[in-house]
Amino acid sequence: MVSSLIFSSLLLALAVSAQSDPFQKYTISAPGINVSCIPFGATLTNVYVKDKNGDAQDVVLGHDDGRDYLGDAQSPVKPNLGSTIGRYSNRIRNGTFTIDGVTSHVSTNEHSGLNTLHGGKVGYDQRNWTVVSHNDTSITFSLLDEGFEGFPGSVVTYATYTVEANRWISRIVSIALDAPTPIMVINHPYWNLGAFVDPNSSTILNDTLHLPLSSRFIVVDGIQVPTGEIGTVKGTGLDFTTPKQLGRDLANTAFCGTGCVGYDNDFIIDRPRYGKPGSFDDVVLSMSSKNTGIQMDVRTNQQSVVVFSCGILNGAGGSLKSSQQKGGVKLVPDYGCIAIEPQQWTDGINHPEWGQQQYQIYSPSTGPAVLYARYDFSIVGDSGGSKEESNATRIG
């Protein structure tokens, strides 16, 4: 009964979607924050927050014209700027997995067919989502996936973006309608908290990153597919358990695949997903820019976070938006951004020894897959807040 109602509502929504513009920008706002997004890929296009001088700065990469996101999707290197990734984010070895004795082969799109990346050749980032609700502070998109890219069964996903004072919240709920299937739907924004306000802000290497709960990481092979081994960050360039500048240990980061310099790693969050009341209050990642004074603190129900330092974009980031061309920089340079992706452990569907399958495989008899991520913005050095914000007050 519930499934049939969902299908009926989604078919109606899809009919409406066909008549709308997938590149139209929708804006939501609250004190101290202004967020824009488009239905194509349920993509985050702009996030304006205030810097230490009280000026609004756009702190995510993207495009002025929504149609340019289609060009990204059709390019050989798909940067996934701000898009929603699915049905299963990150990599799947050989594009293959087995559930209840049934082996599935989904489309492979990286390393000459050796793995699937971000949902396959045409993932959720390249789909036209439907706007099902929109007001001044919140917007909800929906997508019906009837077996895209060879994944088993149908899945309906709702992505809701909400703003409160100096805060952006992402809630993504995915429901397996008729078969067991892997689900790991995430957001993929690229951040630059320096907002390119001057040449010193053209990269994120001087920004400070803190991963207070991440003393372990997922070990990968030369093509960035997990080997099954779990590594420890101590004594490596991946150790952000105390705050440090992103560029400090760049030469000691040979853990992100062959030829990779920088960070493209899945950091384990060593905290139970629902381990204690108020677990959403744990700051799992904190990042700040000394140039703008903007600090961002991330909270999530997920059990890992991927950090990608944009060291190998090779120009795929394209031109900066007009809102970011204040410091004389026109094109996104290497290390000009950082992607932060709360998720479950990469390729956990192929590593039952990790105990991740209950958080990655869903069916009509399970609850939905739920991603919750909260991004709080403040100014470094002000007073108030929690432990991670002990020197920050809300801006706005």
Side-chain angles (χ1 to χ4, degrees), residues 162-208:
T162 302
V163 290
E164 299 174 349
N166 310 297
R167 174 180 294 164
W168 172 54
I169 299 170
S170 175
R171 293 170 291 161
I172 302 177
V173 178
S174 301
I175 304 168
L177 299 177
D178 49 25
T181 184
I183 300 176
M184 191 157 71
V185 184
I186 68 165
N187 297 117
H188 202 277
Y190 290 85
W191 304 92
N192 184 315
L193 298 184
F196 304 94
V197 295
D198 56 41
N200 292 329
S201 303
S202 63
T203 77
I204 46 82
L205 297 179
N206 291 321
D207 292 355
T208 298

Side-chain angles (χ1 to χ4, degrees), residues 75-105:
S75 69
V77 179
K78 298 177 175 63
N80 305 116
L81 296 178
S83 58
T84 299
I85 303 296
R87 173 182 308 191
Y88 189 90
S89 65
N90 221 295
R91 292 173 172 86
I92 302 173
R93 183 177 293 278
N94 297 321
T96 301
F97 52 85
T98 300
I99 301 175
D100 296 337
V102 178
T103 299
S104 295
H105 302 275

Side-chain angles (χ1 to χ4, degrees), residues 29-58:
S29 59
I33 188 167
N34 183 296
V35 170
S36 296
C37 46
I38 59 173
F40 183 75
T43 296
L44 192 71
T45 63
N46 306 82
V47 176
Y48 285 93
V49 296
K50 291 186 179 179
D51 65 13
K52 61 187 177 184
N53 299 316
D55 297 324
Q57 302 293 347
D58 191 354

Side-chain angles (χ1 to χ4, degrees), residues 102-279:
V102 178
T103 299
S104 295
H105 302 275
V106 298
S107 72
T108 55
N109 59 332
E110 193 181 39
H111 299 116
S112 302
L114 294 179
N115 65 275
T116 298
L117 175 63
H118 290 335
K121 294 177 181 177
V122 184
Y124 287 10
D125 59 301
Q126 300 173 60
R127 305 284 178 171
N128 293 335
W129 293 57
T130 301
V131 177
V132 295
S133 178
H134 176 224
N135 59 33
D136 291 343
T137 60
S138 186
I139 187 167
T140 297
F141 299 98
S142 69
L143 181 71
L144 177 61
D145 170 0
E146 297 180 290
F148 298 158
E149 302 305 299
F151 281 91
S154 297
V155 171
V156 60
T157 296
Y158 296 90
T160 298
Y161 306 150
T162 302
V163 290
E164 299 174 349
N166 310 297
R167 174 180 294 164
W168 172 54
I169 299 170
S170 175
R171 293 170 291 161
I172 302 177
V173 178
S174 301
I175 304 168
L177 299 177
D178 49 25
T181 184
I183 300 176
M184 191 157 71
V185 184
I186 68 165
N187 297 117
H188 202 277
Y190 290 85
W191 304 92
N192 184 315
L193 298 184
F196 304 94
V197 295
D198 56 41
N200 292 329
S201 303
S202 63
T203 77
I204 46 82
L205 297 179
N206 291 321
D207 292 355
T208 298
L209 180 67
H210 188 198
L211 298 168
L213 302 179
S214 295
S215 59
R216 299 185 298 157
F217 68 100
I218 305 293
V219 177
V220 297
D221 62 17
I223 60 170
Q224 297 179 279
V225 175
T227 64
E229 181 184 355
I230 304 299
T232 57
V233 302
K234 187 175 181 179
T236 76
L238 300 182
D239 191 350
F240 289 94
T241 54
T242 57
K244 70 176 182 183
Q245 287 183 308
L246 278 155
R248 193 184 83 179
D249 291 328
L250 204 66
N252 188 24
T253 57
F255 300 95
C256 56
T258 302
C260 174
V261 178
Y263 300 98
D264 193 359
N265 302 95
D266 193 355
F267 292 87
I268 294 170
I269 299 171
D270 285 313
R271 174 218 61 196
R273 191 184 195 204
Y274 302 112
K276 63 183 180 66
S279 62

